[in-house]
Amino acid sequence: MTQPAGFWIETAVSSSSPPRQLLGELWTEGEIAVLCGRNSVGKSIFAVHLAEALARGCSLGPYPAAAPQPVMYVDLDSGSEQFARRYTRVADGAVVSYDFAEGFLRSVVEWDLPLPPGYNSMESLIFDSIVETLGDNECRTLIIDSLPHIAAHGTARNAVDFIERLRGLRDASGVSILLIADTSPKGNAFGTARYDVAGRASLRVSPIASSHLLRAAEGPPYAI
C-alpha cells in the first residue's frame, strides 16, 4: 500500500494519542535511542545524569523531564568501586555521597558467575533479568551502558539477538530504551573525522542522540 507521506502521519495521529516526551525533544516515550561517542568523553556520566533527571522529574539542561518515574540503569561499564568513587567526595573530613533518587535503579552483571540451568548465553540471562526487574518495579524506562560489552562477552549472533529482543520488548510493552555505544574513527571527510559505532559491523546502528549533548548535561555534582 502506497500513500503520500502525510497520510501515514495523519493516520497514526488520529488512531493514537501523541507520545509523551521524556526529556523535551531529546527523548520520546517508546523510542529506542542510541547515545554515541568516543571513549572517555563522558557518556556514562551523561547517562547517569539523564537517569537521575528522569527519576526525579527535573530538567536536564534545556530539556524538561516528565513526572518522576522509575529508571532502570544496567551498568555494564563501571564497577561498584568506580561508581562509588565517582559520586562520593570528602567534605570537612567526612565522606559525603550523592543522594540519588529512589527511583534510580542500578543493575550490574556478574560476568564471572556460571550460567544457571536453562541458559546458554549471558545475553539471554541479562535480557530475562531486565524484563523481570522492569515488571517488579513497574518501570518503563531502560538505559543499557554499554552496547560494546554485550558484544564483547558473546558472539555477534547473540548480541544481534539481544538487540532484536529489546526491540520486541519495546513493541510489546512500550518501554523506552537508551543504548550507550562507543564510536571509532572512520576516514576523513572535508577535514572532519567521521565516527562509526564501534563493534562488529552487524551491530552498527545510527545514533539518535549524539554525544555533543554532553555539553548540556547538569546533574549529580560529584561526577568526575
Side-chain angles (χ1 to χ4, degrees):
M1 180 179 179
T2 303
Q3 295 287 349
F7 167 84
W8 302 108
I9 297 176
E10 293 173 3
T11 302
V13 170
S14 62
S15 62
S16 62
S17 58
R20 183 178 62 152
Q21 292 182 331
L22 295 176
L23 274 173
E25 298 179 352
L26 180 64
W27 192 12
T28 301
E29 190 175 53
E31 281 186 338
I32 298 180
V34 182
L35 173 64
C36 298
R38 288 170 289 171
N39 288 333
S40 302
V41 298
K43 298 184 301 297
S44 294
I45 292 176
F46 179 75
V48 169
H49 290 180
L50 190 152
E52 175 72 352
L54 290 174
R56 288 194 181 276
C58 62
S59 63
L60 179 68
Y63 304 102
Q69 60 183 294
V71 179
M72 182 179 181
Y73 177 71
V74 182
D75 193 348
L76 308 177
D77 188 66
S78 304
S80 296
E81 290 186 5
Q82 180 183 1
F83 186 84
R85 287 197 305 270
R86 185 168 284 170
Y87 299 106
T88 303
R89 66 174 180 174
V90 176
D92 298 326
V95 176
V96 181
S97 299
Y98 179 76
D99 185 19
F100 282 98
E102 185 176 349
F104 187 124
L105 310 173
R106 179 176 178 264
S107 298
V108 298
V109 175
E110 300 291 343
W111 295 105
D112 297 330
L113 294 180
L115 291 173
Y119 288 95
N120 55 15
S121 72
M122 181 61 77
E123 292 78 15
S124 295
L125 177 60
I126 293 173
F127 180 82
D128 286 352
S129 298
I130 287 173
V131 173
E132 182 179 359
T133 302
L134 290 174
D136 289 346
N137 293 277
E138 298 182 351
C139 180
R140 294 170 54 83
T141 305
L142 170 66
I143 299 174
I144 298 180
D145 184 8
S146 64
L147 197 59
H149 286 280
I150 296 294
H153 288 84
T155 66
R157 184 69 260 169
N158 289 147
V160 171
D161 289 345
F162 179 81
I163 296 174
E164 290 300 321
R165 294 180 74 180
L166 288 176
R167 183 178 300 173
L169 174 65
R170 187 277 309 270
D171 293 343
S173 60
V175 172
S176 308
I177 302 173
L178 175 64
L179 303 174
I180 312 301
D182 294 334
T183 56
S184 58
K186 188 73 172 182
N188 188 288
F190 304 105
T192 303
R194 181 169 62 88
Y195 290 86
D196 285 347
V197 176
R200 297 178 173 90
S202 57
L203 295 178
R204 289 180 181 168
V205 289
S206 298
I208 297 174
S210 303
S211 60
H212 74 274
L213 294 173
L214 289 166
R215 293 191 294 269
E218 293 180 357
Y222 309 134
I224 297 172

